Amino acid sequence: MSLWFTEKQTDSFGITAKIKQTLHTEQTDFQKLDMYETEEWGNMLVLDDMVMTTKKDEFVYHEMVAHVPLHTHPSPKKILVVGGGDGGVIREVLKHPSVEKAVLVEIDGKVIEYSKKYLPEIAGKLEDPRVEVKVDDGFMHIAQSENEYDVIMVDSTEPVGPAVNLFSKGFYAGISKALKADGIFVAQTDNPWFKADLIHQVYHDVKEIFPITRLYTANIPTYPSGLWTFTMGSKIHDPLKVKEERFQEMETKYYTKELHHAAFALPKFVKDLTE
Amino acid sequence: MSLWFTEKQTDSFGITAKIKQTLHTEQTDFQKLDMYETEEWGNMLVLDDMVMTTKKDEFVYHEMVAHVPLHTHPSPKKILVVGGGDGGVIREVLKHPSVEKAVLVEIDGKVIEYSKKYLPEIAGKLEDPRVEVKVDDGFMHIAQSENEYDVIMVDSTEPVGPAVNLFSKGFYAGISKALKADGIFVAQTDNPWFKADLIHQVYHDVKEIFPITRLYTANIPTYPSGLWTFTMGSKIHDPLKVKEERFQEMETKYYTKELHHAAFALPKFVKDLTE
Amino acid sequence: MSLWFTEKQTDSFGITAKIKQTLHTEQTDFQKLDMYETEEWGNMLVLDDMVMTTKKDEFVYHEMVAHVPLHTHPSPKKILVVGGGDGGVIREVLKHPSVEKAVLVEIDGKVIEYSKKYLPEIAGKLEDPRVEVKVDDGFMHIAQSENEYDVIMVDSTEPVGPAVNLFSKGFYAGISKALKADGIFVAQTDNPWFKADLIHQVYHDVKEIFPITRLYTANIPTYPSGLWTFTMGSKIHDPLKVKEERFQEMETKYYTKELHHAAFALPKFVKDLTE
Amino acid sequence: MSLWFTEKQTDSFGITAKIKQTLHTEQTDFQKLDMYETEEWGNMLVLDDMVMTTKKDEFVYHEMVAHVPLHTHPSPKKILVVGGGDGGVIREVLKHPSVEKAVLVEIDGKVIEYSKKYLPEIAGKLEDPRVEVKVDDGFMHIAQSENEYDVIMVDSTEPVGPAVNLFSKGFYAGISKALKADGIFVAQTDNPWFKADLIHQVYHDVKEIFPITRLYTANIPTYPSGLWTFTMGSKIHDPLKVKEERFQEMETKYYTKELHHAAFALPKFVKDLTE
């Protein structure tokens, strides 16, 4: 029992988790993919030595990416998820009865394949008839879409490797074009303790393109610092003005309608990044 | 640069931090005390191999212990801090102009001594004339106090070693007695990912004693899971009904009046612990 | 590439090796068995979190267990290996043309099974017609044997778990009985840096039973301290008096006829353990 | 007690030791210097994150550097130690009554300073009147010496950083010039498991300059692989032909006259490096 995986979240800090066994390890065309069985978190997907998701805490990220914009939009029908090959965001998206179609564009087919195999609780809804899975470059998919989606979620890795383009201003402009006239977009934008500059940059880039730009947070224990940010750009609908009756009953473990609003109340040092 | 401190937060998960040097290491009468200079977090106080506070992220804990109850109380004058020998809570308490006296009862004088030496930004206000520092058993101090304090904060270590008594129902009853008729108490109550049972127990113990019992959270990256809980017991004043004008301008890095309320909006799985 | 196996060789010292993947992990009836693919050492067999053998350095141990006693005996015909389920000692034993039969008594059939699967270079000779493999308790096998073997090698784990009996005086007496009148026995007896008492004890226990008792060493980099000892008990033949012509040409990577003698020249602090 | 120092001896293998405290840490003009108090090995000197010496196992290295050449030379009077600022080799050199003068040329004065302070058992003899300590570049000192020394010992760090020049053929030629007509030199030349090429290179470089070139080994548990090599170049005297009466009674913990010879009996794969 002396096998440990360590993610250096910075050069001088990290997390370390006891491993029962490696379920799969592979250098894909895009990144190093490891699937570990951990003691504390259950099965864990790791890309380029960074924890992507774990059975035990995955619900936070997936719920908070999906339910905040989907409740903000009055009637989301067509959804795009860029990245997110583990299927967790899709699973949450499908909980919204208004959704007619959810497109997943994941660049690395291996992420999908091994998530289905080892994280069935997360990836289980990828077979749903409303879902279309494309193994393709999200950046290109966005560039080729126009006035098509109600909500776009960017569920990418950190801005290294294949995800670099997904943190550029050009990408956000493309997203705006791909969205309908009242569309909403949200992206995971890392943590404020180690990546304050990135959050500041993305927030202001998005703000130049979207009339309504908001930052919100959630606690994800296996991600650096435990505090994760999401940046939302919206053309019309304001997440802070969602009406009480819009919130639907659905089974969640993290998201609540109270938290929908509270998640936008930022710690002072995070709020400062938006100014 | 290959010296790392690892805190096993559970048997199979932990954090690991690069150490520049050990500044002090000692087995005190109560616990093992280490002061490390870390790369990522600056100087770090560690008791019994658990991170207590670091220069970089200490503000979250200290602000959230102090400002939530002190804004909830309409005019806090006499304050007791149990534990908290690093002086961080006291520093925040003194930002409130109504405070006339703040008593610190720390069982381990060495914590005070080495915090003053190596964490002066945190401990620097322990010399303030409004502060009385007692090196004594907080449990006994509480037992001997009656109708004395407006606000009591319990800034203890985890419920192992010297802090075990500080998580008992008898202790909360004592606190109630030590408080004035409209007094408020708050205690740090660990994290919901690894210590759900503890939170559930403490919450319900406090609820049997205090008419108003509330749980709130904050993000502390060097504490287990990054999500810390605080349990508040109040005789009259409700933290959720603080009037707008009560909030005072004061320099903070985490606490804001918006966050004062948002901190009580719990993730669903944490909220469930209070039911 | 951030997965490391750490063996704590003492409470405060150990080795750590980068792992490519876990090939097998299982709690057998006797011990925890892990087969790792390591970067530095190739496939590595680990029992109860202790490194047993690795592809890269296994030759040292196996050659030194086998060739020292087999060259000391003038004509070894029937050999017993107690433990040694990886098959490495057997492979070396079979290099001696005089050997007619080699019996392996390994208590844990899983060690044999997974060594064959993942360490074929080591276990490959277990199918040789001269070899008889018994999955059985070595202690009992010895107890039931009389005047049967020319050479007995005890290739056990450390004296914890299933191997505890194999470091007892009663076991050495049994071995003496199981050997022929000019028989020789050798056992691995751990390292002198962390286990000096064990070496001292075993040496003197063996000395009470065998007229000729000798300690020799070899360098095994993945074993604690890198310096391993072997204790030999012999009824008649002295390893230090092997005649030049006895040494046979055989392919080895560690053992040489010069080293046969040099291995008995002990560092002063190790020699002291034999006095 | 969760502070560990890890030396990566290769990219994928290392040792790890529990640290009680850092006694000193400093970037000197030449290297990073750390003095640790360890649980297992006592005080430990670390340069550029590589273990140099520890209180518990230092005797092996220091005895084997000193006593092998000093017994090989029939009457060593003037000795040079290049590097070796911890003073351990000097301490052993002074055990030889024929020695009249021992010069230590260490490039980094801080190594001497902190060895005296924290490793007094090792450095204690640097004040002996027969010793001359020069804080200077060993390469230059050698270049400026001619026909001066009976024995020269090169006690350097690995061939990285300040020690790079000390593994060059030009340096060995300079040593030959600096030695008297029957002089002997010995250098530490790393381990055969991870640095086989270096040993092969140095051995053959030395062989082109010295009529008698020999490799010998010793077990140093805190050095990579636990098996350390020393390369000796001698103009006339052969270490394998030292007469019985030459060996002097002296207190040692590793070296014995039997080991003097046995240390030259190399494992086959090491012997191959000399061919």
Side-chain angles (χ1 to χ4, degrees), chain A residues 30-31 83 105-110 112 134-138 162:
Chain A
F30 301 98
Q31 51 208 340
V105 181
E106 162 65 56
I107 202 168
D108 192 343
K110 297 287 188 179
I112 301 170
K134 291 186 173 183
V135 176
D136 208 346
D137 180 351

Side-chain angles (χ1 to χ4, degrees), chain C residues 146-219:
Chain C
E146 193 168 341
N147 192 30
E148 196 166 342
Y149 296 104
D150 296 305
V151 177
I152 295 176
M153 289 119 170
V154 183
D155 175 8
S156 68
T157 57
E158 320 293 280
V160 289
V164 152
N165 286 332
L166 309 187
F167 288 81
S168 67
K169 201 166 161 186
F171 182 59
Y172 306 135
I175 283 177
S176 179
K177 183 176 62 73
L179 284 171
K180 291 183 181 156
D182 68 343
I184 300 173
F185 122 91
V186 68
Q188 72 84 3
T189 43
D190 221 308
N191 81 88
W193 288 94
F194 309 139
K195 297 286 184 62
D197 290 350
L198 176 78
I199 293 172
H200 182 269
Q201 181 68 47
V202 169
Y203 185 87
H204 288 87
D205 283 352
V206 172
K207 203 174 176 182
E208 290 189 26
I209 294 166
F210 287 87
I212 297 168
T213 302
R214 302 257 183 258
L215 197 67
Y216 63 97
T217 70
N219 159 249

Side-chain angles (χ1 to χ4, degrees), chain B:
Chain B
M1 290 308 208
S2 284
L3 188 66
W4 292 73
F5 164 75
T6 302
E7 177 183 339
K8 285 198 186 169
Q9 300 176 332
T10 73
D11 285 346
S12 55
F13 185 69
I15 55 170
T16 188
K18 210 182 221 178
I19 300 299
K20 282 186 180 171
Q21 58 178 321
T22 58
L23 298 168
H24 187 73
T25 183
E26 176 178 355
Q27 188 69 39
T28 76
D29 290 343
F30 301 97
Q31 50 208 342
K32 182 160 181 286
L33 183 159
D34 289 287
M35 190 69 76
Y36 297 130
E37 184 187 354
T38 75
E39 292 266 329
E40 185 66 51
W41 305 100
N43 287 0
M44 174 188 274
L45 173 65
V46 174
L47 298 178
D48 285 341
D49 287 330
M50 292 178 287
V51 177
M52 287 299 113
T53 200
T54 82
K55 187 180 172 188
K56 184 173 170 182
D57 77 343
E58 56 90 9
F59 64 92
V60 182
Y61 180 87
H62 296 134
E63 291 183 11
M64 292 302 279
V65 166
H67 299 315
V68 177
L70 289 175
H71 278 107
T72 300
H73 195 287
S75 179
K77 289 187 180 64
K78 190 165 185 191
I79 313 299
L80 172 65
V81 178
V82 176
D86 55 56
V89 173
I90 288 289
R91 183 194 61 200
E92 296 303 313
V93 164
L94 295 180
K95 289 181 180 173
H96 289 258
S98 68
V99 169
E100 294 167 359
K101 176 147 198 180
V103 179
L104 178 85
V105 180
E106 163 64 56
I107 201 168
D108 192 342
K110 298 287 187 177
V111 172
I112 301 170
E113 177 181 351
Y114 289 101
S115 296
K116 283 184 176 174
K117 185 165 182 186
Y118 292 114
L119 295 167
E121 311 83 355
I122 304 179
K125 295 291 184 186
L126 288 175
E127 311 290 351
D128 189 283
R130 286 170 291 171
V131 177
E132 180 185 353
V133 175
K134 290 185 173 184
V135 177
D136 208 344
D137 180 351
F139 190 87
M140 290 307 296
H141 183 90
I142 287 289
Q144 293 156 2
S145 305
E146 193 167 343
N147 192 30
E148 196 166 342
Y149 296 105
D150 296 305
V151 178
I152 295 175
M153 290 117 170
V154 183
D155 175 8
S156 69
T157 56
E158 321 293 279
V160 289
V164 152
N165 285 332
L166 308 188
F167 287 81
S168 67
K169 201 166 160 186
F171 182 59
Y172 306 135
I175 284 177
S176 179
K177 183 177 62 73
L179 284 170
K180 291 183 182 156
D182 68 342
I184 300 172
F185 120 91
V186 68
Q188 73 84 4
T189 45
D190 222 307
N191 81 87
W193 288 94
F194 308 138
K195 296 286 183 63
D197 290 349
L198 175 77
I199 293 171
H200 183 268
Q201 181 68 45
V202 169
Y203 184 87
H204 288 87
D205 283 351
V206 171
K207 203 175 176 183
E208 290 189 28
I209 294 166
F210 288 87
I212 297 167
T213 303
R214 302 260 183 256
L215 198 67
Y216 63 97
T217 69
N219 159 248
I220 303 170
T222 57
Y223 280 12
S225 89
L227 185 69
W228 215 243
T229 71
F230 304 87
T231 302
M232 181 190 282
S234 179
K235 294 183 175 179
I236 291 176
H237 308 295
D238 188 341
L240 298 181
K241 294 179 183 160
V242 178
K243 292 195 183 122
E244 179 71 19
E245 60 269 26
R246 175 68 186 91
F247 292 104
Q248 295 162 290
E249 281 302 309
M250 57 178 64
E251 201 187 346
T252 60
K253 286 192 274 185
Y254 191 90
Y255 180 86
T256 68
K257 65 183 174 184
E258 291 79 21
L259 214 63
H260 177 104
H261 290 104
F264 291 91
L266 303 174
K268 180 73 165 62
F269 79 106
V270 182
K271 195 179 169 189
D272 289 348
L273 299 175
T274 67
E275 281 158 15

